[in-house]
Amino acid sequence: MYPLFGVEKIENVVFIISDDLKASVLGSYGDEICHTPNIDRLAEEGVVFDRVYCQGTSCGPSRQSFMHSRYQGAAKVNLGKHFIDNGVFSARIGKIYHMKVPGDIIAGTDGLDVESTWNERYNSPGLEAHTPGDYACLNLDIFTTDLAGRYSTAMPHRWFVTVSYDGDGSDQPDYKTASKTIEVIRQRKDEPFFIATGFVRPHYPMVAPKRYFDMYPIEDITLPYVPDDDHDDIPPLGFPKVVSTKDPIGKYPDNQKRMWAGYYATVTYMDEQVGRILDELDRQGLRDKTAVVFTSDHGYHLGEHHFWQKSNLHEDALRVPLIISSPGVKSGRSTAITELMDIYPTLSELAGFEDPESVQGKSLVPVLQDNSARVREAALTIDRSGYALRSERWSYIRYNDDTEELYDMQSDPGQLTNLAINPEREDELKTWRSKLDSRLKGAGITRKLKKG
């Protein structure tokens, strides 16, 4: 036991990362449609963090950030190397650092992996959009079983692709990733290990066996509410690349529902793979000395504000799930503002290691012990368009052209009324400008300004 923290020292870590998973679709985060029994089981066993935010708004920068616990750039000692340096075996299975999906998945290549992070590493290839079955490109209203002409790697419209097929799912990358994780756990059960398991779903193309799609008839899906004037108070830099008002997806409301169905289907498929890993840890009697972490690299838009995908600074793109189950830690729930970068120092402290000086995150061990504890006032996110700060009540965005958004998340959780254009909020805006400048300075970041 740690005399200072009252938690048991861990020997092992299983760090599970989903891809493009927004927190709000999990049952343990309040979704009443999506079936996620295994992640929900982990939530019942661990601490659920309700307000967790990514530091980068797309796969590459976010994953680099939490693996190095840096807002920008890389450190000499990444998370896996930190465990290796302390005598722990480290393995990567699937996507941890950035891989092109579907490109690197189809090719079975390493992407932007950092070799020093691992003693062993394994890729999980798959056919992705080329999987034989019922293919749809939903924004173009294309439905076919033909293999020719499917939108895939680096092609336009690929983010609206789903494939439902007859099969048991064992040919898919995430099944292979779970199977290899189970194999490595069995091989390394008698020595300390750090295993990072990276699932690619629900990242597009949303591919899964038909039985998962059948769970989500579009008649059960209600699209997000978007007021007619919603875009009137959003600055130009606040819009993502794909918006319903400009993309053909806006013409097909039922296909927007099919996007939700495909997303739900692949989340449920991914959830089953999480369950297989948890079951193996139980079979091997390892849960009493293993920390299990489940999270995602960033959130995702599925029509909120008529936005699609990621790479913007609004809530649905920034908020991710985080569940930590660790020996000696009581199950619970925390509303503490948390950054993905905080995972590194948290696992380091649980393992009894001393953090490298390069670490910028904050350990969440105080929150694991007392769910009412707080380690930071606001979470910082960096995008090519600007910066965001998210506190428990407020969401503040400042773009590179000095345009701004400010939302009271207590009264306006959907971010429908931008208070930054209200002259009566000028004093509040000055406070948030100062807070942002202070955070950027503390992180060693020079704010980019758009000339024009």
Side-chain angles (χ1 to χ4, degrees), residues 74-218:
K76 290 183 179 179
V77 184
N78 54 61
L79 178 54
K81 188 177 189 319
H82 185 44
F83 274 78
I84 292 172
D85 290 348
N86 283 277
V88 177
F89 169 82
S90 174
R92 168 184 70 77
I93 304 163
K95 177 181 175 180
I96 301 301
Y97 292 100
H98 181 51
M99 290 180 176
K100 291 182 180 178
V101 180
D104 284 315
I105 306 304
I106 295 171
T109 43
D110 290 331
L112 300 180
D113 195 32
V114 179
E115 190 172 0
S116 67
T117 317
W118 323 108
N119 297 113
E120 296 178 3
R121 51 186 181 164
Y122 305 93
N123 297 327
S124 301
L127 294 177
E128 298 292 82
H130 308 288
T131 301
D134 293 323
Y135 164 94
C137 184
L138 293 169
N139 70 327
L140 300 183
D141 202 36
I142 295 172
F143 300 88
T144 184
T145 58
D146 292 342
L147 289 173
R150 295 188 177 191
Y151 285 96
S152 186
T153 305
M155 297 174 69
H157 313 297
R158 64 191 180 278
W159 35 80
F160 289 108
V161 167
T162 66
V163 181
S164 168
Y165 75 103
D166 292 322
D168 63 2
S170 60
D171 58 334
Q172 293 302 307
D174 286 354
Y175 189 96
K176 296 175 183 179
T177 293
S179 296
K180 178 57 73 170
T181 300
I182 290 168
E183 179 183 323
V184 174
I185 288 171
R186 291 172 180 171
Q187 292 171 346
R188 301 289 174 172
K189 63 183 179 181
D190 296 323
E191 63 178 292
F193 59 74
F194 173 86
I195 299 174
T197 297
F199 294 125
V200 295
R201 301 283 87 91
H203 194 293
Y204 64 78
M206 289 173 276
V207 184
K210 184 176 184 295
R211 65 185 178 92
Y212 297 94
F213 282 81
D214 289 345
M215 297 171 69
Y216 303 106
I218 64 171

Side-chain angles (χ1 to χ4, degrees), residues 43 91 148-149 151 199 231 234 248 376 384 400 424-425:
Y151 285 96
F199 294 125
H231 290 178
I234 298 176
R376 58 173 75 251
R384 278 182 276 184
N400 295 331
E424 297 179 3
R425 298 289 183 163

Side-chain angles (χ1 to χ4, degrees), residues 368-417:
L368 294 176
Q369 288 308 103
D370 177 2
N371 298 163
S372 66
R374 300 290 186 266
V375 297
R376 58 173 75 251
E377 178 190 6
L380 172 65
T381 302
I382 302 165
D383 181 66
R384 278 182 276 184
S385 66
Y387 309 85
L389 280 178
R390 176 64 158 91
S391 71
E392 292 194 26
R393 179 174 178 180
W394 299 96
S395 171
Y396 172 68
I397 303 169
R398 193 172 191 185
Y399 297 105
N400 295 331
D401 61 359
D402 279 337
T403 54
E404 297 166 295
E405 295 181 54
L406 179 67
Y407 299 97
D408 184 339
M409 300 301 289
Q410 288 183 1
S411 62
D412 183 22
Q415 296 181 316
L416 300 179
T417 303

Side-chain angles (χ1 to χ4, degrees), residues 209-277:
K210 184 176 184 295
R211 65 185 178 92
Y212 297 94
F213 282 81
D214 289 345
M215 297 171 69
Y216 303 106
I218 64 171
E219 294 78 17
D220 294 345
I221 294 172
T222 301
L223 295 176
Y225 168 69
V226 184
D228 292 339
D229 62 352
D230 186 41
H231 290 178
D232 292 354
D233 58 1
I234 298 176
L237 288 180
F239 290 86
K241 180 179 180 180
V242 185
V243 183
S244 296
T245 52
K246 296 181 180 180
D247 189 275
I249 192 65
K251 298 187 294 185
Y252 306 112
D254 281 351
N255 286 355
Q256 294 177 41
K257 292 181 179 182
R258 290 185 176 96
M259 277 292 294
W260 276 92
Y263 194 87
Y264 279 151
T266 50
V267 169
T268 298
Y269 171 75
M270 179 272 297
D271 174 85
E272 285 197 9
Q273 313 318 313
V274 173
R276 295 174 61 212
I277 295 169

